[in-house]
Amino acid sequence: MPTAIVSHVECRQHSMHDHHPEDPRRTDAISDQLISSGLDLYLMYEDAPVVEREQLLRVHDEAYLDSLDEMAPDEGQELVEVDDDTAMNPYTLQAARRAAGAAVHGVDLVVNGRMDAVFCNVRPPGHHAERDKAMGFSFYNNVAVGAAHGIQAHGLQRVAIIDFDVHHGNGTEDIFRDDPRVLFCSLFQHPFFPHTDPQSDRDHILKLPLESGTGGAELRLAVDCAWLPAIERFQPQLIMVSAGFDAHREDEMGHLRFVERDYQWLTEQLTGIVDRVEGCHGIVSVLEGGYSPSALGRSAVAHIRALARV
Ligand SMILES: [Zn+2]
């Protein structure tokens, strides 16, 4: 099954304060593990294009995009703070344009039938970015830009977004809370950042709050009961993944206890849905969190191996 990695070297140039956990070693760790595992031999590699402003405007307000453009530093090592833990250097917005462009390109590759699955190895992450607000290391909501591209450019009517990052994808919920063409399934540690309501008031927004310490066995039970039947009933034409790996038990950012085979299992459930749902084009997965480089690399390889079915 042809599977592609979409990435760009400019995603490495965005960096925040020294010792900030969201740093270029993250995407490097995934690339290194893909090579050392031998999995890279089965994959295609494509450069991420720069996202077009019209593609961002499908999910973000114009005034918000203008404010990011105005705030961005021009040169040097200057950092502009967006919130307590999110900052822009002179290369941040270009990295973010590549990250969102990767999601758009991934959707084109899968919906046009060139690839069965795509993993976007990009940063900055996106799922905390709301329609008019940057937060939680996120500027443009990459997965939302990709889903909106599937709907508006390709005419899709049903896109499922699965978010297994340890943090709730508040930005993705904010963007699609009034758009039932998107089924948004998010699991997350609760209570935890970003402290959104663990209950959903929308049928197309499924939330799976998990207590600190939750491991793979509970994950499988909950996903089996709460998500898989709902996703299959939805009959998605495209599945997108907000692939954060910070719920890994070695990741000190969160307090869940997933391991590599849990990511593999979850991904296999999604490829099973692709097989069973007639007209489902495939899966586009976009990197979100994951801050222990070794665990991130191993987990991403388990996920991509399941996407590529090797
Ligand atoms: Zn996270």
Side-chain angles (χ1 to χ4, degrees):
M1 306 291 274
T3 297
I5 305 295
V6 179
S7 189
H8 199 280
V9 67
E10 286 180 341
C11 289
R12 297 189 80 268
Q13 294 181 307
H14 159 59
S15 68
M16 298 183 275
H17 308 95
D18 290 346
H19 310 301
H20 195 293
E22 205 290 278
D23 72 13
R25 288 176 303 172
R26 301 178 59 244
T27 45
D28 292 351
I30 294 173
S31 301
D32 290 350
Q33 289 278 353
L34 284 173
I35 292 167
S36 62
S37 67
L39 183 57
D40 70 311
L41 297 173
Y42 298 89
L43 304 172
M44 317 284 280
Y45 285 83
E46 300 239 350
D47 271 346
V50 171
V51 73
E52 294 169 14
R53 188 174 167 89
E54 290 68 30
Q55 294 166 341
L56 293 174
L57 282 168
R58 292 169 179 153
V59 304
H60 291 296
D61 289 346
E62 185 154 32
Y64 168 67
L65 297 181
D66 289 343
S67 75
L68 284 182
D69 291 342
E70 284 161 20
M71 287 167 66
D74 288 332
E75 57 189 22
Q77 295 305 308
E78 187 188 352
L79 283 176
V80 172
E81 308 280 343
V82 175
D83 70 16
D84 286 347
D85 51 26
T86 309
M88 287 192 281
N89 77 357
Y91 310 103
T92 297
L93 282 191
Q94 184 67 3
R97 290 182 196 110
R98 295 285 186 189
V104 168
H105 186 51
V107 169
D108 285 339
L109 289 173
V110 168
V111 176
N112 289 335
R114 284 186 53 209
M115 295 290 159
D116 292 304
V118 166
F119 180 78
C120 301
N121 187 18
V122 292
R123 51 183 295 278
H127 73 152
H128 293 304
E130 299 185 347
R131 193 166 279 281
D132 61 357
K133 184 179 178 188
M135 62 180 275
F137 318 161
S138 303
F139 301 90
Y140 304 142
N141 193 315
N142 307 318
V143 80
V145 172
H149 183 68
I151 291 168
Q152 304 217 9
H154 293 282
L156 301 184
Q157 288 299 308
R158 295 178 307 282
V159 179
I161 301 177
I162 314 304
D163 186 330
F164 55 68
D165 190 279
V166 78
H167 304 97
H168 178 239
N170 59 289
T172 312
E173 178 180 357
D174 173 66
I175 288 165
F176 294 119
R177 61 179 287 104
D178 295 319
D179 189 348
R181 293 174 296 184
V182 173
L183 175 70
F184 179 49
C185 305
S186 179
L187 67 78
F188 49 93
Q189 181 179 330
H190 175 76
F192 205 42
F193 179 87
H195 306 289
T196 34
D197 186 346
Q199 306 295 325
S200 172
D201 57 358
R202 300 283 200 279
D203 289 343
H204 69 285
I205 296 191
L206 305 186
K207 299 187 186 183
L208 188 51
L210 301 172
E211 281 181 17
S212 174
T214 297
E218 299 101 309
L219 165 76
R220 290 167 200 227
L221 197 62
V223 166
D224 255 340
C225 297
W227 279 6
L228 299 179
I231 299 169
E232 201 149 338
R233 264 199 313 277
F234 181 69
Q235 296 279 297
Q237 296 164 293
L238 175 68
I239 295 177
M240 298 198 66
V241 181
S242 265
F245 298 97
D246 41 7
H248 193 283
R249 68 178 176 185
E250 292 173 29
D251 197 308
E252 294 179 353
M253 185 71 82
H255 310 96
L256 300 185
R257 301 186 57 77
F258 299 172
V259 295
E260 289 83 333
R261 62 179 173 274
D262 298 320
Y263 295 112
Q264 179 182 340
W265 176 83
L266 188 45
T267 310
E268 287 169 352
Q269 306 317 300
L270 300 180
T271 57
I273 290 173
V274 172
D275 290 343
R276 290 192 298 278
V277 172
E278 200 180 334
C280 186
H281 293 284
I283 300 177
V284 178
S285 176
V286 186
L287 179 64
E288 301 285 359
Y291 304 99
S292 161
S294 174
L296 168 62
R298 286 180 273 121
S299 302
V301 164
H303 172 59
I304 296 163
R305 190 182 294 285
L307 287 178
R309 309 178 194 222
V310 293

